[in-house]
Amino acid sequence: MKYCSHCGHPVSLKVPEGDNRERHVCDNCGTVHYQNPRIIAGTLPVFGDRVLLCRRAIEPRLGYWTLPAGFMENGETTEQAAARETFEEADAEVDIHGLYTVFNLPHISQVYLFFRADVIDGRHGPGTESLESRLFEEHEIPWQDLAFPTVARTLQFFFADRRAGEFPVRVEDITAYQRKP
Ligand SMILES: [Zn+2]
């Protein structure tokens, strides 16, 4: 950040009084520009015994398969964000059952939340950010072509938990070292 979003003057990195880390502070109006982690909300959409994935039409990871998920917008709840992203990316309306996985990605300052959900009437299709959408049985999951570790971990948890018949909330940290190229 170089310029204040309030008044347009240059900002400096400094530790504000009473704070303990450097922030971008406006040299003119004094506004402190805090930067905090971003939340990505999505769903694990299920229809019968199949899981809905979509193939990304945008970078990063263009062409790879993902669960529908995206950045929360201001003014919405996490469940609303997850349902909206599912509609935008997979053209599917869902009934959300509850929080399922939480991933901390401190190296990129992101938090992922996935909710378990049922696809209403099994209807889906590629949204504007997707090349295609498809319902997969467990043995059909394209494990080598998944877009993100958060997606792979959520699917691994899901198939194991489905066999056990319970879906406890799973919280996991994913560090830079676990990322696959
Ligand atoms: Zn300013």
Side-chain angles (χ1 to χ4, degrees):
M1 179 173 215
K2 282 185 178 165
Y3 299 102
C4 177
S5 55
H6 285 261
C7 72
H9 281 254
V11 295
S12 309
L13 262 185
K14 58 178 81 159
V15 180
E17 208 175 310
D19 205 337
N20 57 11
R21 60 175 74 200
E22 285 191 323
R23 315 280 182 189
H24 292 286
V25 181
C26 179
D27 298 323
N28 181 55
C29 74
T31 299
V32 181
H33 297 277
Y34 295 96
Q35 292 182 315
N36 300 101
R38 297 207 284 173
I39 295 175
I40 293 131
T43 59
L44 171 62
V46 172
F47 185 67
D49 62 354
R50 291 177 293 168
V51 173
L52 180 61
L53 300 178
C54 31
R55 203 152 71 83
R56 292 173 61 81
I58 53 169
E59 295 288 357
R61 307 296 279 160
L62 192 156
Y64 287 82
W65 290 92
T66 187
L67 292 165
F71 290 107
M72 277 185 80
E73 300 287 0
N74 291 339
E76 64 184 1
T77 68
T78 50
E79 293 192 20
Q80 286 168 347
R84 176 183 52 74
E85 289 290 345
T86 306
F87 188 72
E88 288 176 2
E89 295 185 7
D91 208 9
E93 292 190 65
V94 288
D95 278 330
I96 289 186
H97 296 307
L99 182 62
Y100 185 44
T101 52
V102 178
F103 298 100
N104 298 296
L105 288 77
H107 59 292
I108 49 174
S109 297
Q110 293 180 351
V111 177
Y112 269 75
L113 306 174
F114 284 103
F115 293 85
R116 288 198 299 124
D118 277 334
V119 181
I120 296 173
D121 298 331
R123 285 197 304 257
H124 65 90
T128 52
E129 295 179 359
S130 303
L131 298 168
E132 60 179 307
S133 64
R134 188 185 145 187
L135 289 162
F136 289 88
E137 293 191 26
E138 181 176 0
H139 71 272
E140 299 172 322
I141 297 286
W143 294 103
Q144 302 307 314
D145 293 320
L146 295 178
F148 306 109
T150 53
V151 171
R153 294 297 289 145
T154 296
L155 291 171
Q156 287 166 355
F157 281 134
F158 175 71
F159 293 121
D161 288 344
R162 189 169 68 176
R163 277 187 283 279
E166 280 183 69
F167 299 94
V169 174
R170 306 286 190 168
V171 182
E172 193 166 82
D173 300 339
I174 294 180
T175 69
Y177 300 105
Q178 289 168 286
R179 293 170 83 197
K180 297 213 173 80

